Amino acid sequence: MNYYSLNFNSKDVNFLEAVQKGLAPDRGLYFPKHIPKLDKSFFDELDQKNNTQIAFETILPFVGGVIPEIYLQQIVHDALSFDFPIVPLTNRIASLELFHGPTLAFKDVGARFMARCLAYANAQKSKKELTILVATSGDTGGAVADGFYKVEGIKVVILFPKGKVSLLQEKQLTTLGKNITALEVDGVFDDCQDMVKSAFIDPEIKNEVNLTSANSINIARWLAQMFYYFIGYKNRPNPNNKLVVSVPSGNFGNLCAGLMAKQMGLPIDHFIAATNINDSVPQFLETGDYHPKPSQPTLSNAMDVGDPSNFIRIQKLFNNDFFKLKKVVSGYSYTDADTLKALKTIYKNTGYIADPHGAVGYLGLNQFLENNNEDYSGLFLETAHPIKFSKSVESAIKTQLKVPEKLKELLKREKTSLPIKNYKELKSYLLDS
Ligand SMILES: *Cc1c(COP(=O)(O)O)cnc(C)c1O
């Protein structure tokens, strides 16, 4: 399988080249040359397959022979070394929990898969060390740090805005040490992002440092997110009903992976793009016009994206045909007040504790089921553990959350970070270290 740039101005590359580059040289996103279809036998035998087999068989055509099967099997096995439980809340609504990985958010799946693919690529050519440079507003940095921790030949440099991430997120970024360095930027997330962009186009750095990025546009992060749609389908509570999946969305990588799984043959009938007030995509689905906007802060802050990077890939999956897309995806958006109310209602009616992102997914699913009296049942993706957003969750449900054991350990660890004021300081750090 080869990948081309959606800006059409770079040459085609194979899977590992696309993973190593992240973005194509013409700044376009990589997209597979064709979409593989799974055999009927794959679905007939799905019940007998474990998670590793499901992941291996679905990713194999995308990898296209550049990683030997025996390694690929090990990579998906390691990347998925935790559970993906389904918790039914009503007879038609269930939560598909994606937060049982090490940093308690779904991004662990893509980050762990990507880290292992890069480690394989690096081991093949004894080139100089690879440096992953990433800016984070919270969740991405933790998942990347953990995913790449102690991976041979790879160094991770994370920029985070001083005082703008939660205590838990800061601990996840700053306490690992070894090949992970956290740079604490005196500024906001956009300043971190700008510095990262400057580094990627700086010719001196290009010459000296073997730099790559690990953000959600990387195909390894995107495609690995298909795995749990197949797992969720296999374990769905109401197999006789049509399945609808609601995806709380920000940069739209997660929904885009679900849509790819459907194109490969996975019988999910419908998808919900559920957002907070950063609603460029639901607005588009309503009007047919796409107007990216500056992002606005909300309680579900991992979804505060005004111009989602993966939107172009979603359109491509439907050959830019608005009506085809609209048949498969419905969009709904919610305010913080709606989100808090949902957290409270879910807890009161079912005893389940959702996080603000999952609550947005729940709201979208609920609304779709109310509007469609056909035989639909749904899953909403619960993308983070509620403890990561304990302040808003506790205020909504008026109950204190229990801190999971693995976090107690984390909270005791010592923070180490390097303060950084401007691009010049980042540059000398990258060139000197
Ligand atoms: C990143 C994130 C999202 C948004 O996912 P996208 O793929 O960017 O749409 C939703 N929930 C949580 C908890 C996240 O960390």
Side-chain angles (χ1 to χ4, degrees):
M1 173 78 75
N2 274 349
Y3 295 80
Y4 65 98
S5 161
L6 288 176
N7 281 353
F8 306 104
N9 243 326
S10 298
K11 67 177 178 43
D12 294 354
V13 294
N14 70 30
F15 176 80
L16 280 179
E17 289 165 335
V19 175
Q20 285 167 297
K21 283 189 171 22
L23 210 56
D26 64 4
R27 316 295 297 159
L29 272 66
Y30 280 117
F31 199 83
K33 292 284 271 190
H34 68 270
I35 294 171
K37 300 273 184 238
L38 291 160
D39 282 347
K40 186 173 168 292
S41 64
F42 172 86
F43 293 102
D44 292 344
E45 292 155 19
L46 191 59
D47 279 345
Q48 284 96 58
K49 296 185 203 291
N50 62 31
N51 292 354
T52 301
Q53 286 167 316
I54 291 173
F56 174 73
E57 289 178 39
T58 51
I59 203 70
L60 185 62
F62 288 100
V63 174
V66 295
I67 301 176
E69 296 195 6
I70 183 136
Y71 286 102
L72 187 59
Q73 201 127 32
Q74 192 63 46
I75 287 172
V76 293
H77 179 264
D78 292 349
L80 297 180
S81 59
F82 43 87
D83 294 333
F84 298 86
I86 290 179
V87 183
L89 304 193
T90 71
N91 54 9
R92 289 171 81 198
I93 294 183
S95 167
L96 172 53
E97 294 186 345
L98 305 180
F99 59 72
H100 295 270
T103 72
L104 308 182
F106 79 95
K107 291 189 174 73
D108 281 327
V109 175
R112 290 165 68 81
F113 179 72
M114 181 185 163
R116 285 159 182 79
C117 290
L118 274 183
Y120 173 80
N122 250 31
Q124 298 319 298
K125 41 169 201 189
S126 47
K127 239 180 133 184
K128 63 183 172 197
E129 190 179 58
L130 189 64
T131 300
I132 310 250
L133 184 64
V134 69
T136 186
S137 58
D139 273 352
T140 297
V144 168
D146 190 88
F148 287 83
Y149 183 51
K150 292 190 193 164
V151 173
E152 200 94 9
I154 293 179
K155 188 178 148 177
V156 178
V157 179
I158 301 169
L159 280 78
F160 73 99
K162 180 180 169 150
K164 307 280 191 310
V165 302
S166 74
L167 175 66
L168 208 85
Q169 288 171 328
E170 184 168 281
K171 291 275 184 186
Q172 288 178 336
L173 296 173
T174 58
T175 62
L176 288 173
K178 300 228 191 292
N179 63 328
I180 314 291
T181 305
L183 302 180
E184 189 164 5
V185 175
D186 193 5
V188 295
F189 170 68
D190 292 326
D191 299 319
C192 302
Q193 184 80 39
D194 287 346
M195 284 192 222
V196 167
K197 283 186 184 154
S198 305
F200 275 101
I201 53 172
D202 189 321
E204 265 179 89
I205 290 188
K206 265 191 187 164
N207 263 338
E208 294 283 320
V209 189
N210 192 9
L211 208 59
T212 191
S213 82
N215 61 19
S216 65
I217 50 151
N218 194 293
I219 59 160
R221 281 193 55 192
W222 169 37
L223 295 171
Q225 291 169 2
M226 289 192 304
F227 300 156
Y228 43 72
Y229 288 89
F230 287 94
I231 296 168
Y233 172 80
K234 173 189 156 185
N235 299 324
R236 69 202 184 283
N238 300 300
N240 296 323
N241 287 5
K242 289 200 264 185
L243 179 59
V244 47
V245 177
S246 178
V247 187
S249 296
N251 230 345
F252 281 78
N254 208 2
L255 177 62
C256 194
L259 293 169
M260 175 63 93
K262 180 173 168 66
Q263 301 250 352
M264 291 175 77
L266 181 65
I268 293 178
D269 195 81
H270 202 80
F271 287 87
I272 315 285
T275 71
N276 56 34
I277 52 168
N278 295 285
D279 62 352
S280 309
V281 172
Q283 281 297 330
F284 167 77
L285 288 164
E286 177 114 10
T287 63
D289 293 319
Y290 182 65
H291 296 294
K293 298 175 273 207
S295 67
Q296 302 181 63
T298 74
L299 294 177
S300 46
N301 58 21
M303 311 201 296
D304 295 349
V305 182
D307 186 8
S309 328
N310 283 291
F311 179 61
I312 180 168
R313 278 189 179 136
I314 292 185
Q315 287 197 295
K316 188 73 206 166
L317 278 170
F318 291 88
N319 283 321
N320 299 309
D321 183 330
F322 176 67
F323 295 98
K324 274 196 191 141
L325 171 62
K326 225 177 122 96
K327 255 175 123 166
V328 177
V329 184
S330 301
Y332 300 105
S333 65
Y334 300 95
T335 63
D336 278 350
D338 297 332
T339 306
L340 288 170
K341 205 168 137 210
L343 287 169
K344 198 166 144 186
T345 315
I346 297 168
Y347 184 62
K348 199 172 119 231
N349 294 346
T350 71
Y352 188 74
I353 302 174
D355 98 291
H357 305 77
V360 168
Y362 165 88
L363 283 167
L365 180 56
N366 201 40
Q367 193 160 343
F368 177 86
L369 292 175
E370 274 175 14
N371 298 346
N372 289 273
N373 46 15
E374 279 183 83
D375 295 335
Y376 278 107
S377 293
L379 296 172
F380 68 92
L381 304 188
E382 182 40 290
T383 47
H385 192 296
I387 198 78
K388 287 194 105 167
F389 303 91
S390 54
K391 229 164 117 189
S392 37
V393 175
E394 287 176 348
S395 82
I397 69 171
K398 308 251 168 354
T399 303
Q400 204 160 8
L401 300 181
K402 274 209 294 279
V403 179
E405 279 309 314
K406 59 180 164 189
L407 281 192
K408 286 188 188 153
E409 195 49 46
L410 176 69
L411 289 171
K412 276 189 239 149
R413 283 199 233 137
E414 210 58 53
K415 164 181 168 180
T416 323
S417 69
L418 283 174
I420 278 256
K421 280 201 233 33
N422 48 41
Y423 178 64
K424 218 176 115 206
E425 290 186 8
L426 172 64
K427 183 166 173 172
S428 44
Y429 171 77
L430 288 173
L431 291 177
D432 296 343
S433 64

